[in-house]
Amino acid sequence: MKTLCLLRHAKADRAKAGQDAPALSDHDRPLVPRGVAAAGLVGRSFKQHALHPHLVLCSTARRATETARLILAELDAPPPVESERGLYLCGAQALLKRLNEAPDSVDTLMLVAHNPDVHILSVALAAHGDKTLRGALQDKFPTGACAVVTFDTACWRAVASGEGRLTAFILPRTLV
């Protein structure tokens, strides 16, 4: 069985130019304090859900790498992180292609990326599971949220649309 933690980065700065500072590029936007707090809550929730990723694939965007770092800081044994520019606003199909290339020795994988890619992919993958959770997932994928999807396969290359079971949808606003 394979478990995928599909995570949207936490809340980030809007990068508007101000009087005293030029606008940041979209790629360089940092987390805002609300995003920092949310990432910590999600990390603690990973412990509660007994989620222990063996590998993290992360977009190189600053808001994604900061989110991953803060979540992993909450875990007892943080896994290796592979930061990849190709995960930055690449489209849901490109994310799926990258998942299909993950090593089969990895049972639990965390992917940190962006919307709409994360939302589209999670809805496509999670065809099974609790109807209420799937409805919430279809509705919206907020910043900092994490869809946990399991697959009855031993190979990441077998992960495909309609094959997953949504086992959790972690929303920062519901965590305390």
Side-chain angles (χ1 to χ4, degrees):
M1 178 156 65
K2 299 295 182 197
T3 300
L4 173 64
C5 302
L6 197 49
L7 183 77
R8 181 179 177 195
H9 64 79
K11 186 76 174 161
D13 189 349
R14 291 215 181 260
K16 293 181 183 174
Q19 248 180 332
D20 300 326
L24 293 170
S25 73
D26 183 67
H27 192 269
D28 296 328
R29 292 172 33 208
L31 296 181
V32 295
R34 185 174 111 194
V36 170
L41 289 171
V42 172
R44 288 187 286 284
S45 177
F46 268 47
K47 278 183 152 177
Q48 292 169 349
H49 283 90
L51 291 171
H52 302 286
H54 301 115
L55 176 65
V56 177
L57 301 176
C58 186
S59 161
T60 55
R62 181 175 173 185
R63 59 194 180 275
T65 59
E66 287 180 356
T67 300
R69 180 180 50 78
L70 290 164
I71 288 172
L72 296 178
E74 297 294 331
L75 303 180
D76 294 331
V81 177
E82 293 181 12
S83 295
E84 300 179 12
R85 179 73 182 208
L87 299 176
Y88 174 66
L89 302 174
C90 61
Q93 281 306 112
L95 291 180
L96 179 58
K97 183 178 184 295
R98 180 60 184 96
L99 288 173
N100 293 150
E101 296 167 352
D104 291 333
S105 59
V106 171
D107 289 327
T108 302
L109 178 71
M110 184 168 93
L111 175 66
V112 185
H114 311 270
N115 258 6
D117 308 346
V118 169
H119 190 197
I120 292 167
L121 181 59
S122 62
V123 169
L125 293 175
H128 309 284
D130 181 270
K131 199 175 200 176
T132 303
L133 275 182
R134 287 188 298 125
L137 175 64
Q138 278 191 310
D139 222 21
K140 186 177 182 182
F141 205 112
T143 54
C146 181
V148 181
V149 186
T150 58
F151 302 90
D152 290 327
T153 182
C155 305
W156 284 106
R157 68 182 170 278
V159 168
S161 291
E163 297 295 321
R165 172 173 301 285
L166 184 65
T167 59
F169 188 38
I170 301 167
L171 302 167
R173 72 173 182 264
T174 65
L175 303 173
V176 208

